[in-house]
Amino acid sequence: MPHVLLAALLVASSTATAQTPVPDGGAPSAPQESAPAESPAPAAPATAAPTPSEGSVSREELEQRLEATRQELREDIRAQTATQAVANNDWQEEWTEEKRKLELFTLDGYLRVRPTLFYKFDLGKPALPSGTPLGRQLWTRSPRSAAEQTQAGANMRFRLDPSFNVSEDVRIKAQVDALDNILLGSNPDSAYSGDGRNNFTLFSENQSPANSAVNAFKDSVHVRRAYGEVTTPVGILRFGRMGSHWGVGMLRNDGNCLDCDYGDTVDRIQFVTEPFAGWYVTPMLDFNSEGLSTEKANALGEPVDLTQSDDAHSLVLAIARRDTDQQQKAKLDNNQGVLNYGLYFTYRTQRYATTTETGVPFDDANPSIPVTTTAPAFVPRGGTLYIPDLWFKYEEKRFRIEAEFAAQLGNIDGRALTATEPTTQSLRVAQFGGVLQTEFHVIPEKLHLGIELGFASGDRAPGFGNYPGRQGTGSDGNTAPGDVEGRQYSCDTGGCSDNAIRNFRFNRDYRVDLILWRSILNGVTDAFYVRPGLKYSIAEGFDVFGSVIYSQAFYEESTPSYTSKALGLEADIGARYVTEDGFVAGIDYGILFPLDGLKDLGLPGQELSTAHAIRGMLAIRF
């Protein structure tokens, strides 16, 4: 209240000052009318009328004085409030005021809807007999009829990337997905019939929220990442569950693109420092697998890692010479070259692996009553991996060359996946992969031409090996000639005829095409490809593009045909429209001409059908 009265007095005083000047300090006089000319008044000493510069105050100056007075009052009130807060040992008000000086909460993300249409992705092959292992299967067919060759629908995702800026140096970041890759129309209210409202999906008018194990395989909302970030005088500390990305994204890809589906998420502690200008050194500790813990048994409370012997951890070191985006832009604008490169090295170990075997232990309280439970079993793993990854980029105003080369080397002393398998059979790991990208700006900001080369090592083991967990048609789950998928080593109880894993696998979010590697085989492995392409900007924000991809396996034994290396020739075209306010619309069309390597074993004259794909995109980024 005293501040309010003081403000009122100051305002009143300022208002009085703005009235007509008063001679001799008397009360202000009313305006006088002019005396008639014919009635002259007696002569008196006249006072010169004040000029604006001498005594009057303009309205603009008055408003400035009032605003200055109000600001002084605000500062006085803030100072007294802070003093009272300190006197009362109450820091909340002062802390809140400091946070208001920052943008406390920022939110990024996107909403996307993707219509798709796939036609003849089974390549016209005959249906396999019921019970055939998954390793033989090329594509998931319609369960109703093999004659159905069109699979169409639409899916969506709502991604949120919030950042809580606790201070200028402390942040908490997260990534939350809602309705992640939910197929539109997949949660009709009739899917959960507990209330008995609808017996027929024909009458469904509502989409229910997805609940895991109730009406869907996953929940409507799930938290993918959450980590802290602290800026210190010597670098940036990050800790928590975060994305992992390196180079062009061939091996480590965080999936932070509009059309990505997977993304590498790691539990990590890392520190980023810049000992020299432009040089970044980042040591990291990854928690790949903690094995057996009490987390599943105790829904609440602190989980405990019961043993360290089954843990898989990684020590990672990244060293990079890299310019910031602003530095790169400045160099390119000045017709200078930009050279960036780096090494990302991972060392990973695991001594034992945990399996689950069904045992029949007794209850301590009632020994005579057997209790069937699931008891843990440990198998020796003795695994060690060395994963070097080199990245290089050189760019000028008219062209760009970028490359990444990686290897996975190591050994697994015990290959057993269950306690009943031999625990002394060892495996070797020797995998190599690389990508070379070139881009030439033929007409700056208009026409761009490029070519990309990529390879992923393999061997003569049947199948590609993108899904080694799928059972092959050979004995003991091994792959056999003609299989599409399965493990890339061959072992049974008598020993290993092939104890090497040589097939390098590209990250699934590293996209090469629309059909063969993206959808049918789910990632480049055991093959190489050549991909020339172009992009033309019709107008600002509106681009058209196209590419041709030739793919070939390194060994004919890896293909379904077992006799030919050639896999396919694919042509993709598309258009994209992007506005400044975040709206994105696009459409892509692809056609795959399958070659002899995709034919079935024993059917060299088999005629394969051409596969087609149409992918749409409607999205809003913010």
Side-chain angles (χ1 to χ4, degrees), residues 136 459-463 479-483 555-565 567 596-603:
R136 203 74 168 195
D459 58 15
R460 299 183 185 277
T479 55
D483 285 351
Y555 302 95
E556 58 267 17
E557 292 88 348
S558 300
T559 70
S561 71
Y562 206 68
T563 58
S564 175
K565 299 178 183 179
L567 297 176
D596 289 347
L598 293 176
K599 293 181 178 180
D600 289 325
L601 175 65
L603 299 174

Side-chain angles (χ1 to χ4, degrees), residues 118-255:
F118 301 154
Y119 180 65
K120 290 187 177 181
F121 271 32
D122 60 2
L123 306 184
K125 294 186 176 185
L128 296 173
S130 178
T132 302
L134 289 177
R136 203 74 168 195
Q137 183 172 289
L138 183 69
W139 179 254
T140 303
R141 302 169 180 268
S142 166
R144 192 195 71 86
S145 171
E148 291 187 9
Q149 297 181 315
T150 300
Q151 297 167 310
N155 58 80
M156 68 174 296
R157 171 190 281 171
F158 182 37
R159 171 163 290 180
L160 300 175
D161 291 306
S163 178
F164 300 88
N165 301 307
V166 180
S167 71
E168 293 181 355
D169 298 325
V170 179
R171 295 163 292 279
I172 299 174
K173 297 185 176 183
Q175 186 174 92
V176 180
D177 283 346
L179 304 176
D180 183 28
N181 275 346
I182 290 293
L183 190 66
L184 298 188
S186 62
N187 303 123
D189 49 12
S190 58
Y192 178 66
S193 56
D195 61 357
R197 173 130 180 116
N198 286 323
N199 286 334
F200 303 101
T201 56
L202 180 66
F203 294 110
S204 295
E205 302 286 353
N206 177 49
Q207 293 294 315
S208 302
N211 293 304
S212 177
V214 177
N215 64 341
F217 291 105
K218 55 186 176 182
D219 293 330
S220 298
V221 178
H222 60 274
V223 179
R224 289 174 54 88
R225 299 165 185 169
Y227 62 97
E229 185 177 89
V230 181
T231 302
T232 72
V234 293
I236 299 176
L237 173 67
R238 295 190 180 101
F239 50 93
R241 180 164 292 186
M242 64 192 75
S244 178
H245 194 95
W246 173 257
V248 300
M250 174 196 71
L251 184 61
R252 303 282 181 258
N253 195 308
D254 58 13

Side-chain angles (χ1 to χ4, degrees), residues 577-588:
Y577 175 65
V578 182
T579 65
E580 293 182 354
D581 52 1
F583 174 67
V584 179
I587 188 169
D588 298 271

Side-chain angles (χ1 to χ4, degrees), residues 54 63 98 159 165 171 173 240 245 257 300 321 401 432 434 467 473 481 503 522 571 619:
E54 293 175 337
E63 291 177 351
E98 286 297 321
R159 171 163 290 180
N165 301 307
R171 295 163 292 279
K173 297 185 176 183
H245 194 95
C257 71
L300 301 176
R321 166 65 182 89
I401 299 177
F432 305 90
Y467 292 93
T473 59
N503 69 302
N522 283 128

